Amino acid sequence: QVQLVQSGGGSVQAGGSLRLSCTTSERSFTSACVGWFRQGPGKEREFVAAITRTAGTYYSDSAKGRFTISRDNANLVVYLQMSGLEPEDTAIYYCGASRHPYTDDSRQYDYWGQGTQVTVSS
């Protein structure tokens, strides 16, 4: 069982930045595809970004150009740096780990973090 622990998040004004972290103690994390998803009020969980074990990165259209996903395998951490935040980015953000090489389908993620709230005010 892989436990993912998230940190970061909080409240920020539009145009601001936040960084989310997702960490674990499991070395197998370095071979996982790690993704960030979010779920806004009354909405389904949606894909935000993912990073493969070889550090290939993928983004949703809404995240492209504003968010950056990265990983530090030495410290077993994946980050989501978010800039140019907009009120529409308000949601609970989740990191997940998948055994698939890459996927943007939340159903293909095996382990999840606890979620962290991001609130962007106008």
Side-chain angles (χ1 to χ4, degrees):
Q1 187 77 5
V2 176
Q3 283 195 315
L4 303 180
V5 179
Q6 297 179 221
S7 60
S11 297
V12 66
Q13 290 194 322
S17 300
L18 287 171
R19 188 176 77 165
L20 307 181
S21 300
C22 177
T23 189
T24 181
S25 60
E26 295 290 330
R27 292 300 307 177
S28 60
F29 187 68
T30 61
S31 61
C33 171
V34 179
W36 287 96
F37 292 75
R38 67 187 183 187
Q39 189 163 13
K43 296 182 180 179
E44 293 187 354
R45 191 170 295 193
E46 65 173 357
F47 172 75
V48 176
I51 188 164
T52 69
R53 69 177 184 87
T54 57
T57 57
Y58 300 85
Y59 298 93
S60 66
D61 287 343
S62 63
K64 210 169 294 182
R66 300 188 300 130
F67 296 1
T68 302
I69 189 170
S70 61
R71 69 191 307 162
D72 176 356
N73 282 340
N75 293 300
L76 302 179
V77 181
V78 169
Y79 300 103
L80 184 68
Q81 177 69 47
M82 303 184 293
S83 302
L85 284 163
E86 304 167 349
E88 293 73 25
D89 296 314
T90 295
I92 299 174
Y93 284 69
Y94 298 90
C95 69
S98 173
R99 286 167 286 187
H100 292 266
Y102 163 69
T103 179
D104 60 3
D105 185 346
S106 62
R107 295 168 297 180
Q108 295 182 332
Y109 281 75
D110 306 293
Y111 305 102
W112 292 95
Q114 79 276 19
T116 186
Q117 178 70 47
V118 170
T119 302
V120 185
S121 57
S122 57

